[in-house]
Amino acid sequence: MSPLEREDLSILFPMFSVRNNVRYDARVFEPPADGLDDWQILARLVTEVLPLPARGITGRVANAVFGRLSPLRLVSAAMAAGPYGVLRKGRGGLTVAKVRESAGGVDLGPLRPRLRELIGTWDKKVRLAPPDFLAAARELVDNAGRGRSLTVPSEGFDLKLIGRRHLRSNNSWLHNVPSMVKGKDRCTALMHPDDAAERGLLDGAPVTVTSATGSITVALEVSDEIRRGVVAIPHGWGHREPGVGWTLAASLPGANVNLLHDPATIDPFSGAAAVNNTWVRVTPAPVPRSDVPATEVLAESAPST
């Protein structure tokens, strides 16, 4: 069942709102008769992994229970028992039916501080610096002082690569929408004027950005809004890879910045990939040879057999 075939009481997006609210999202299309929602598929899988030989009996019981329950019914029960529900507010309390009938949702007023209620430590303080983290930070600082750290440029690479976002990109989701990608090239290597001058690089010219794991070619954007020693390239571009299938996005300039990052370099505490701590060098991109026939260029680039 697709998202447009589901009805939902949105409890996720209000967490990012500036006011307390609740909203009902109606389905746009009626689902097919045999369509199953995600929760129904997961419920069926639960009954299939029940142990034998009791699966025949317990599976039927579990399916009957799941058939009576749904996320919307569970939310309705939680709402009734919540601070705005009928069990506390009486007949004037909030119900799913009232939210469904409202135009655009129900505004429940300004947000109220409740962070201390959610913190589970005995002293209600967030542990921002656990001992393991402090020990790793001290080691990082010590290694930096000795020149043995990712904070020190590695041989042949002298610029720190960081990422950046654009409002009209939303990662890569909007790159196949004409109104969102029109205008100038936004997948550029942003560099300070002094760094560009030292390397003989010109604003708008193609440059090759190389790391220990790969290289890409993008246009250079020179600006004093970025500090020296840093180059910034947005992620989410490079749609010419086989199987992408986005015609408009594939026609746009840009490259996949992930090719510059080592997938084996991760944060030991979270397991997150290090995508903002890569040393690179930036050089002028090779100029295509105009004096060589296209057949010879293709022959030179063809793999040997």
Side-chain angles (χ1 to χ4, degrees):
M1 190 181 299
S2 72
L4 296 180
E5 295 171 335
R6 292 200 303 260
E7 60 173 352
D8 291 302
L9 193 72
S10 181
I11 60 175
L12 174 62
F13 289 108
M15 297 180 183
F16 303 97
S17 301
V18 295
R19 290 180 64 84
N20 191 10
N21 68 90
V22 61
R23 186 184 66 203
Y24 171 78
D25 296 326
R27 58 169 57 99
V28 179
F29 307 108
E30 287 298 322
D34 57 349
L36 295 177
D37 208 342
D38 291 348
W39 71 270
Q40 293 173 308
I41 297 173
L42 292 174
R44 296 280 182 89
L45 291 175
V46 169
T47 61
E48 289 300 320
V49 299
L50 291 173
L52 289 172
R55 183 185 303 169
I57 300 175
T58 57
R60 287 194 296 271
V61 174
N63 282 328
V65 172
F66 288 139
R68 299 295 299 175
L69 299 177
S70 71
L72 202 59
R73 287 178 176 172
L74 294 177
V75 169
S76 179
M79 183 180 294
Y84 304 97
V86 293
L87 296 182
R88 299 191 187 185
K89 299 292 185 179
R91 294 175 60 87
L94 197 63
T95 64
V96 171
K98 291 180 180 179
V99 178
R100 183 186 286 114
E101 295 169 0
S102 66
V106 178
D107 186 355
L108 299 172
L111 299 177
R112 295 183 298 177
R114 58 187 298 261
L115 180 60
R116 293 185 65 85
E117 302 175 19
L118 303 177
I119 299 176
T121 56
W122 66 270
D123 56 358
K124 298 298 181 181
K125 294 182 179 180
V126 179
R127 300 290 185 264
L128 295 177
D132 290 344
F133 181 87
L134 290 176
R138 293 190 187 98
E139 182 180 2
L140 182 65
V141 173
D142 292 342
N143 286 338
R146 299 185 180 95
R148 301 198 311 266
S149 171
L150 291 176
T151 61
V152 178
S154 57
E155 184 176 358
F157 305 102
D158 54 357
L159 293 169
K160 178 58 67 69
L161 175 64
I162 63 173
R164 76 182 195 269
R165 293 172 178 260
H166 289 290
L167 291 176
R168 290 194 296 170
S169 287
N170 196 11
N171 299 327
S172 62
W173 301 349
L174 303 178
H175 291 175
N176 210 45
V177 181
S179 60
M180 293 290 103
V181 294
K182 65 182 181 180
K184 65 179 183 179
D185 180 13
R186 294 197 296 277
C187 184
T188 60
L190 189 65
M191 181 184 291
H192 191 276
D194 293 343
D195 288 333
E198 289 177 356
R199 294 160 178 79
L201 305 175
L202 300 177
D203 185 36
V207 294
T208 298
V209 185
T210 305
S211 71
T213 59
S215 65
I216 62 174
T217 299
V218 293
L220 181 68
E221 182 179 353
V222 178
S223 173
D224 59 3
E225 294 182 351
I226 189 171
R227 65 179 297 176
R228 292 201 60 181
V230 178
V231 58
I233 302 176
H235 71 276
W237 295 89
H239 299 283
R240 298 184 183 90
E241 299 296 329
V244 173
W246 280 6
T247 304
L248 174 61
S251 69
L252 301 173
N256 182 2
V257 72
N258 289 336
L259 297 176
L260 302 177
H261 301 298
D262 184 359
T265 303
I266 61 173
D267 172 45
F269 295 102
S270 65
V275 294
N276 278 294
N277 197 33
T278 299
W279 287 100
V280 299
R281 65 174 176 265
V282 181
T283 57
V287 178
R289 294 175 59 185
S290 58
D291 59 333
V292 179
T295 53
E296 294 186 21
V297 174
L298 292 175
E300 292 177 0
S301 61
S304 59
T305 57

